Amino acid sequence: MPVQSRKNPNSKDKVYSDFRGGGLNLGASERFLSEKEVAGGKNFCYERNGGRFRTLEPLELAATAAGTVTSLYWSLNFGMIFSCGQALYRIVDGAPVSIGTLSGTDLPVYCDWGEEAERRLFVASGSIIQWYDGKQFVTQTPVPVDKTDPSGGDKWNTANDVMVREGRLLLSRTGRDRLRYSGIGDPENWQSEDEGSGDDIDVHTDADAQWLDVGYKEGGDIVRILPISRDLVIFRSDGSLYRLFSSFPDWTVIRVASQVEPVNRDAVAAVGNDIMFLDKDRGIRKVSAISDNDTDLAVTEKEGQKVNAWLAAHFTNDARLWTLPDRGEIWVKPNALNDVLCWNERYQGWTRIDLGSPVTAACEADGTVYLALGAKIYRLTDSSVSPAIRPEMEIELAPVFGSDRAMTDYQELCVTKDAAAVAELEIGRWWFKAAGSKTVKHQIYVADELRPVLRSSGGTVVLDKLVMRTAEVV
């Protein structure tokens, strides 16, 4: 019969609770994990108002599309917008309604424009920009090729990125050096020089379209542009990062960083006054303004310390990054498979989602998360009476290793769960169920290592606390 070691006569309590600052750690040996960290698992997330882990919310079906959903966007003017390849839709009363066909083949970028009766949704997909006003989907009249563009061959109103800056529509085309601004208050005004002649001449003014080259004559081209604080950040394919200060005509462009290489343009996103991106060699990184009055940007990797080595080894060109600001999370999909790693900014920890099929798009709308699994669009909600999917949770808590063998003679598992939920704790080949809000077991388990794993199904389970009293045995 095993007896407690005389060299280690005192039992030790391992307390797994309050996971703030911990979470999933894929960057350290399991022997060095703290009780706040987990070695693996799926479909667990942080509570909105606490540091406990809970099952990912149930998924309620919001709409079914005609094909794989490739982008989701919440428009302030027109509600939920989504694309399936080049087909663009909106959701009306739970059903997809066709808007039209995208002019380009790249993943679309959207921006809301205008006030009251002139409200529009502009869409850029790598070709001529388009707009939707709730009734019609219009492709702008192609504007002649910009002959002064050193890249050549690009019409004035083609774009991969579109946003509103100081009353102008700002466009950028991947593979070019040029930023193009429409006339002030007029997204159809792309007049870049005097037009006409004689008495009919239309003189170009500062209120008409303007342009600016970034990284002219340098190797590489623009990959993505995003706002940061009051300025713009421009990612280029040569690994350089530029910051555009001020506004026309007092533009200032400064190169602020190098060796910045996003996996692709769809793995870059604005997060408040910062920008997060997936670097193909270094994992997830952040671009932050050091101060509003400073010319510098800081590129850091603090958020990715526990997952970056794993991410960099698993990136493919299918990588995507989605921001969910109200939830306080950033979702990272490293490749075309099922894994989604979730960074919680409030509680400074990572969690993981695996719903059995790849997440193809995600966004947030009025505090509700929407995600697409193939052709199905779901919303995460605890209030659904009969959700389409109840995720099964698994949390691999930090293991206990003995120098010879380890023993646990007392476990206290405290969970909160739905009436229909089933929760079980596994330690090696031993299992016991959590029957209520508090489950206490007194048993002796002996093994070289003790690996507590909490599993649940059928409903939501919140892990309040697990206490394991352990000791060395001989």
Side-chain angles (χ1 to χ4, degrees):
M1 178 178 178
V3 296
Q4 190 166 320
S5 171
R6 293 181 180 178
K7 293 182 179 180
N8 299 280
N10 297 320
S11 298
K12 298 178 181 178
D13 282 351
K14 298 279 285 187
V15 181
Y16 302 88
S17 180
D18 187 2
F19 297 94
R20 289 176 289 187
L24 184 67
N25 189 340
L26 301 177
S29 166
E30 292 180 341
R31 289 184 176 272
F32 300 109
L33 297 184
S34 73
E35 289 88 341
K36 291 179 178 288
E37 296 175 323
V38 298
K42 65 178 182 178
N43 299 332
F44 62 101
C45 62
Y46 283 94
E47 278 189 305
R48 285 289 189 107
N49 299 307
R52 303 183 300 177
F53 284 147
R54 56 155 289 166
T55 312
L56 181 71
E57 295 97 316
L59 278 68
E60 180 180 62
L61 185 64
T64 300
T68 297
V69 176
T70 49
S71 73
L72 285 168
Y73 176 76
W74 176 252
S75 168
L76 297 175
N77 299 327
F78 307 109
M80 185 60 68
I81 307 293
F82 70 91
S83 65
C84 298
Q86 285 186 269
L88 193 65
Y89 299 87
R90 65 181 294 196
I91 297 178
V92 180
D93 296 328
V97 174
S98 176
I99 291 177
T101 302
L102 296 172
S103 60
T105 58
D106 296 331
L107 282 181
V109 172
Y110 309 87
C111 80
D112 287 293
W113 163 281
E115 300 174 357
E116 298 178 354
E118 65 170 358
R119 295 188 190 279
R120 297 182 185 178
L121 174 70
F122 277 90
V123 187
S125 57
S127 187
I128 306 298
I129 58 169
Q130 298 167 288
W131 55 264
Y132 175 65
D133 64 359
K135 297 179 181 179
Q136 57 181 337
F137 189 49
V138 177
T139 300
Q140 278 195 355
T141 301
V143 179
V145 171
D146 179 6
K147 296 179 181 179
T148 66
D149 186 344
S151 304
D154 193 23
K155 294 181 173 60
W156 259 84
N157 55 348
T158 59
N160 288 92
D161 282 312
V162 57
M163 67 184 71
V164 180
R165 300 292 288 181
E166 299 178 347
R168 300 177 187 264
L169 201 65
L170 167 59
L171 305 183
S172 171
R173 178 76 182 273
T174 297
R176 302 289 191 260
D177 292 326
R178 184 155 294 186
L179 306 181
R180 298 190 174 102
Y181 294 79
S182 74
I184 296 176
D186 185 359
E188 306 285 342
N189 177 1
W190 299 104
Q191 182 187 345
S192 59
E193 56 188 12
D194 292 348
E195 294 180 353
S197 59
D199 294 336
D200 295 326
I201 191 170
D202 185 356
V203 178
H204 179 265
T205 70
D206 287 352
D208 289 322
Q210 305 294 336
W211 57 267
L212 175 70
D213 284 338
V214 177
Y216 177 56
K217 291 296 185 181
E218 293 188 11
D221 307 290
I222 291 175
V223 173
R224 190 77 198 266
I225 62 169
L226 285 170
I228 189 168
S229 187
R230 299 168 298 180
D231 307 319
L232 284 177
V233 169
I234 300 97
F235 291 79
R236 289 177 54 86
S237 59
D238 60 352
S240 61
L241 193 70
Y242 282 82
R243 185 173 183 179
L244 170 60
F245 296 86
S246 194
S247 56
F248 176 82
D250 300 316
W251 281 321
T252 301
V253 180
I254 298 176
R255 181 172 176 164
V256 292
S258 59
Q259 296 182 339
V260 173
E261 300 185 78
V263 177
N264 56 57
R265 58 171 277 106
D266 302 306
V268 186
V271 185
N273 283 330
D274 301 314
I275 293 172
M276 303 296 294
F277 70 99
L278 306 181
D279 190 298
K280 65 181 183 180
D281 296 319
R282 301 175 70 165
I284 188 167
R285 307 178 76 187
K286 176 193 282 185
V287 180
S288 304
I290 294 176
S291 74
D292 286 342
N293 297 319
D294 207 322
T295 60
D296 292 331
L297 295 176
V299 183
T300 58
E301 300 172 23
K302 171 180 171 289
E303 289 77 6
Q305 288 177 351
K306 297 179 180 180
V307 298
N308 270 350
W310 185 90
L311 284 174
H314 289 82
F315 282 148
T316 69
N317 197 48
D318 297 296
R320 298 289 182 269
L321 184 150
W322 300 295
T323 63
L324 310 173
D326 185 75
R327 191 179 178 91
E329 290 185 346
I330 298 163
W331 286 13
V332 177
K333 181 173 178 285
N335 48 49
L337 302 179
N338 299 344
D339 282 309
V340 176
L341 301 190
C342 309
W343 168 253
N344 191 296
E345 182 66 24
R346 293 179 185 142
Y347 302 118
Q348 298 288 295
W350 288 90
T351 57
R352 177 176 174 263
I353 294 173
D354 180 353
L355 294 168
S357 60
V359 177
T360 54
C363 78
E364 198 172 63
D366 289 340
T368 298
V369 174
Y370 287 78
L371 60 87
L373 300 177
K376 304 284 188 180
I377 300 173
Y378 299 92
R379 64 174 66 90
L380 295 183
T381 176
D382 282 314
S383 62
S384 178
V385 177
S386 55
I389 300 174
R390 293 188 184 273
E392 296 185 352
M393 181 177 71
E394 180 178 291
I395 306 176
E396 299 176 19
L397 297 165
V400 177
F401 296 91
S403 56
D404 184 6
R405 288 184 295 172
M407 172 184 73
T408 174
D409 62 354
Y410 170 83
Q411 305 86 42
E412 179 183 351
L413 174 63
C414 301
V415 300
T416 305
K417 67 187 188 70
D418 297 341
V422 175
E424 296 179 318
L425 181 68
E426 173 192 356
I427 305 177
R429 59 188 177 89
W430 295 274
W431 293 72
F432 59 89
K433 291 185 177 182
S437 61
K438 185 174 182 180
T439 297
V440 178
K441 291 287 183 180
H442 297 268
Q443 294 183 12
I444 296 176
Y445 305 144
V446 180
D448 295 333
E449 54 190 46
L450 304 174
R451 294 179 173 272
V453 180
L454 178 65
R455 292 186 173 88
S456 72
S457 61
T460 298
V461 172
V462 180
L463 174 58
D464 294 316
K465 179 174 65 173
L466 169 64
V467 180
M468 286 202 322
R469 184 167 298 156
T470 64
E472 295 285 335
V473 297
V474 294

